[in-house]
Amino acid sequence: MNGHTVLYDPEGRIDTQLPLDRVTHERVVRAVLAWSDPAALRPDDYEQVGLLLSGAAHAVAADVRACAGRLPEDDGRRLFAEFVMGQADDCLARPSRNLLRIRDRARTLRALYERLDRLQGTAPATEATTTASP
């Protein structure tokens, strides 16, 4: 036995309950953006770093979508969030086996975190209706 458990979660409930390790992701982003030698890693190693960044980016994008979805459709913050998510989708669809693509993923993750920071707490609160009793 290898000690790993495969979970069946078609509704994605586990993802919404597990917090991301943002500090680690930000450190990886800084390290990737600081690399200058394209031959520093083998293609398989670049792919592993790309998978780490992709997983984090997908999770942060889900949070951005949730926050943006609570804003009115004509709100500029929602429109810009949708633009950022579209850019992220394009970036994440490409394979990541070289330094250029890994840097793109690092920048994408950084942009998603920045957008999430700007959206959190900005969604309008649900209006509560109160009735006064005579």
Side-chain angles (χ1 to χ4, degrees), residues 118-131:
R118 291 183 179 162
L119 288 174
Q120 285 180 330
T122 62
T126 307
E127 292 184 27
T129 56
T130 58
T131 56

Side-chain angles (χ1 to χ4, degrees), residues 28 31-55 94-106:
V28 172
V32 166
L33 294 176
W35 287 343
S36 59
D37 181 10
L41 299 175
R42 297 186 340 238
D44 291 342
D45 294 332
Y46 279 123
E47 188 172 20
Q48 288 300 308
V49 174
L51 290 172
L52 172 78
L53 294 171
S54 294
R94 290 176 264 151
S96 59
R97 294 185 57 89
N98 62 43
L99 180 58
L100 178 63
R101 295 287 170 87
I102 295 299
R103 281 186 172 165
D104 286 345
R105 289 193 184 206

Side-chain angles (χ1 to χ4, degrees), residues 67-72 75 77 119 121-127:
C67 288
R70 291 189 292 268
L71 295 170
D75 190 308
R77 295 168 296 178
L119 288 174
T122 62
T126 307
E127 292 184 27

Side-chain angles (χ1 to χ4, degrees), residues 77-107:
R77 295 168 296 178
R78 179 177 181 158
L79 297 173
F80 191 66
E82 289 172 356
F83 172 77
V84 170
M85 290 182 298
Q87 296 289 90
D89 290 341
D90 289 344
C91 176
L92 296 173
R94 290 176 264 151
S96 59
R97 294 185 57 89
N98 62 43
L99 180 58
L100 178 63
R101 295 287 170 87
I102 295 299
R103 281 186 172 165
D104 286 345
R105 289 193 184 206
R107 288 184 193 101

Side-chain angles (χ1 to χ4, degrees), residues 21-43:
D21 187 2
R22 183 174 179 161
V23 172
T24 299
H25 296 152
E26 289 174 340
R27 287 179 182 160
V28 172
V29 166
R30 280 194 304 272
V32 166
L33 294 176
W35 287 343
S36 59
D37 181 10
L41 299 175
R42 297 186 340 238

